[in-house]
Amino acid sequence: YGTVDVSDSLSLELGDGVLASVAATGMVPLHDIRVERCAAFGSAGHVQLDAVAETLTLQLPREAPLVLVDPQDGTANPLLAPATALVHCRMTGEEPLVPGAFGASVVEATWAAAESARRGEEVDTASWRKAAE
C-alpha cells in the first residue's frame, strides 16, 4: 500500500464539549465484499448505517432494534440523492437538509487532524479560520 493509510482514527472535542471518536479502515480489497458501516453512539443508544445492506437501525437500551430505513423503499443510499437534493433546493429555494456549514466543519476538522498529526500536538479549528482570513 505504500504511503496510503489503510486504517485511521481521530479523536476530537466538539464546540459544545462533546467528545467524538472516528475510525476507518480500507482493508477490504474487493468492492463486491466491501463493508460500509457508520455508527453513532450516545448516552441514549446508537444508530448504525449499513450502506451495503441499505439499512439504518436505531438501538435503544432494553429495546429491539428499530429499522428506520430499509432497502425495500429505495431511500437508504440512493446514488443520485445528493445531486437531486441540490437541484431541488436550487429550483425551490428550500434550504438543504444538510447545510453547507456542516461541510465546512468537516473540512476544518480534517485540516485540524492533519495539522495535529504533522505537529504532534492538539490543534484547534480556530487556527484554520485565522489562516483563511
Side-chain angles (χ1 to χ4, degrees), residues 2-130:
T3 60
V4 175
D5 289 338
V6 292
S7 296
D8 297 289
S9 64
L10 171 67
S11 296
L12 55 133
E13 182 177 355
L14 306 179
D16 58 3
V18 170
L19 300 177
S21 297
V22 180
T25 184
M27 295 299 293
V28 180
L30 301 173
H31 184 75
D32 60 333
I33 61 168
R34 73 192 187 283
V35 176
E36 295 178 10
R37 292 189 194 123
C38 299
F41 299 90
S43 58
H46 67 272
V47 294
Q48 180 169 303
L49 169 67
D50 185 327
V52 176
E54 297 185 349
T55 58
L56 177 65
T57 306
L58 172 66
Q59 180 68 63
L60 299 174
R62 295 172 295 286
E63 293 188 22
L66 175 62
V67 177
L68 303 173
V69 176
D70 68 48
Q72 296 166 352
D73 63 16
T75 61
N77 193 19
L79 179 63
L80 296 176
T84 301
L86 178 64
V87 170
H88 174 79
C89 289
R90 179 66 177 110
M91 299 300 289
T92 64
E94 291 179 30
E95 290 295 316
L97 182 61
V98 179
F102 178 81
S105 295
V106 170
V107 171
E108 288 179 342
T110 303
W111 172 85
E115 192 66 8
S116 175
R118 187 179 72 77
R119 293 185 197 173
E121 62 187 27
E122 289 183 16
V123 174
D124 191 294
T125 56
S127 302
W128 167 273
R129 289 184 213 109
K130 285 181 186 176

